């Protein structure tokens, strides 16, 4: 669409931010409904094993969670500040580091926990661990980043590259198909692993398109 100039670009940016902020508000409200559904109205659907006994009091667990969260917050500042240098030194794109490397390294303990409880035939807990963080990031963390940027004067939007959106939709469809029959086998696990590898390969070579467009 030629002839628009800077005014057209500014208008499109304003529309993009408006849609992102409205969507962020709705996603946060949806996440609140999800918590209310799990913790209040339908607790019986998410009940754990009755024979499990807590090893530490709830107050100790809460204090430990607050301390660990504070430490992670401080370390995250150093991590974010070193991403640019890491990408330049190893020749990696930011998308590959943010989507593939950081989640694998940062959620290593979570992945081990999910596999260990799955080996004990506690699939509900394994799925809760594996999918819970993804739902939390999609419905709460990402919208809150947009809203915090709105209140602090930073333009944060939820507009992602089309290539990444297609990959995410593909992964969601495959996971839904694997979970639809409420049974699992080694072939479905292999399908998920190969899907993740395909997504990693696609995101790794996506940086070449971005660099070529800049040239």
């Amino acid at each position: 669409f030629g002839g628009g100039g800077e005014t057209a670009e500014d208008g499109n940016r304003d529309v993009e931010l408006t849609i992102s902020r409205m969507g962020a508000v709705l996603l946060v409200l949806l996440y609140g409904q999800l918590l209310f559904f799990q913790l209040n109205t339908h607790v019986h659907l998410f009940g754990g094993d009755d024979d499990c006994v807590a090893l530490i009091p709830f107050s100790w667990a809460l204090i430990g969670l607050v301390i660990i969260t504070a430490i992670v917050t401080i370390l995250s500042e150093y991590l974010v500040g070193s991403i640019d240098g890491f990408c330049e030194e190893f020749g990696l794109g930011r998308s590959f580091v943010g989507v593939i490397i950081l989640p694998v390294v940062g959620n290593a303990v979570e992945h081990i926990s999910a596999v260990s409880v799955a080996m004990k035939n506690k699939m509900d807990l394994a799925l809760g661990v594996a999918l819970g963080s993804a739902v939390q990031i999609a419905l709460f963390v990402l919208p809150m980043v947009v809203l915090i940027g709105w209140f602090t004067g930073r333009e944060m939007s939820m507009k992602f590259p089309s290539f990444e959106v297609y990959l995410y939709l593909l992964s969601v469809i495959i996971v839904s198909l694997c979970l639809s029959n409420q049974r699992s086998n080694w072939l479905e696990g292999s399908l998920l692993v190969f899907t993740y590898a395909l997504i990693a390969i696609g995101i790794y070579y996506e940086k070449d398109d971005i660099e070529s467009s800049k040239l």
Side-chain angles (χ1 to χ4, degrees), residues 61-175:
L62 184 60
I63 294 174
L65 179 62
V66 172
I67 295 175
I68 295 300
T69 302
I71 296 175
V72 171
T73 302
I74 297 174
L75 295 179
S76 298
E77 294 292 335
Y78 296 101
L79 177 64
V80 173
S82 62
I83 287 180
D84 292 337
F86 177 83
C87 295
E88 294 178 0
E89 182 176 356
F90 292 93
L92 300 175
R94 291 184 178 179
S95 297
F96 183 78
V97 174
V99 177
I100 304 299
I101 295 181
L102 288 182
V104 170
V105 176
N107 298 329
V109 177
E110 179 180 313
H111 300 158
I112 295 174
S113 301
V115 173
S116 62
V117 296
M119 293 176 63
K120 297 177 181 177
N121 201 25
K122 298 180 179 180
M123 295 306 298
D124 292 340
L125 181 58
L127 290 176
V129 173
L131 302 179
S133 60
V135 173
Q136 187 180 45
I137 291 175
L139 297 182
F140 181 72
V141 176
L142 179 60
M144 284 303 299
V145 170
V146 176
L147 294 179
I148 292 174
W150 183 15
F151 292 123
T152 56
R154 297 179 179 271
E155 297 183 352
M156 306 292 293
S157 71
M158 292 191 292
K159 182 179 179 181
F160 298 97
S162 300
F163 178 72
E164 295 183 6
V165 174
Y166 297 150
L167 291 179
Y168 297 154
L169 291 176
L170 174 64
S171 63
V172 170
I173 292 173
I174 292 178
V175 171

Side-chain angles (χ1 to χ4, degrees), residues 23-84:
V25 172
L26 295 178
L27 288 176
V28 171
L29 293 177
L30 180 60
Y31 183 72
Q33 294 181 6
L34 177 62
L35 292 181
F36 187 75
F37 179 84
Q38 293 180 343
L39 303 178
N40 193 311
T41 60
H42 292 71
V43 181
H44 60 281
L45 297 179
F46 304 92
D49 298 333
D50 296 332
D51 56 348
C52 294
V53 179
L55 300 178
I56 60 175
F58 176 77
S59 58
W60 291 14
L62 184 60
I63 294 174
L65 179 62
V66 172
I67 295 175
I68 295 300
T69 302
I71 296 175
V72 171
T73 302
I74 297 174
L75 295 179
S76 298
E77 294 292 335
Y78 296 101
L79 177 64
V80 173
S82 62
I83 287 180
D84 292 337

